[in-house]
Amino acid sequence: MSQINHLRLLPWSGADGQPAHLVTDGRGSFLSRLADQMEATQLETGTQVLKLSRAMLASIETPTSDELFYVTHRLAECLTDALRVAEIRGQRITGYEG
């Protein structure tokens, strides 16, 4: 029987908005691979939203307040996702023992 010794923060929240965790034995389970794919998707989405928002702000036309509200909301969502991915990946890095 394999030993369960890893608690992984997942890149999505539970139904009540609380952090979701995966208890695992450290091997690549289906749910673990799904979480890896979700992290990659979240980071790619953030890259695309940032690119589009920069283009909007650099445009000759001044964005409307509704457009600025929308892009600000999307950027905040993407930043939230990126910070969660950074936290997740930071937890997976083992301490350096020199």
Side-chain angles (χ1 to χ4, degrees):
M1 183 172 175
S2 61
Q3 179 182 1
I4 297 174
N5 58 2
H6 297 280
L7 182 65
R8 177 182 176 172
L9 178 63
L10 295 172
W12 55 80
S13 299
D16 57 359
Q18 296 296 315
H21 292 86
L22 171 65
V23 178
T24 178
D25 61 5
R27 294 182 284 175
S29 67
F30 171 78
L31 191 55
S32 183
R33 289 189 305 275
L34 179 64
D36 291 342
Q37 291 171 356
M38 177 63 112
E39 288 175 15
T41 299
Q42 288 171 324
L43 294 177
E44 178 58 28
T45 299
T47 299
Q48 292 303 315
V49 169
L50 181 59
K51 181 179 177 182
L52 292 170
S53 66
R54 283 183 173 157
M56 183 185 80
L57 294 172
S59 173
I60 294 171
E61 297 179 26
T62 302
T64 67
S65 60
D66 287 341
E67 290 170 330
L68 289 172
F69 176 80
Y70 180 80
V71 76
T72 302
H73 193 253
R74 296 289 84 78
L75 286 167
E77 289 175 341
C78 291
L79 179 58
T80 299
D81 289 343
L83 291 172
R84 180 175 290 228
V85 170
E87 180 182 358
I88 290 166
R89 292 182 179 181
Q91 289 176 0
R92 286 193 247 161
I93 298 172
T94 59
Y96 176 75
E97 297 184 25

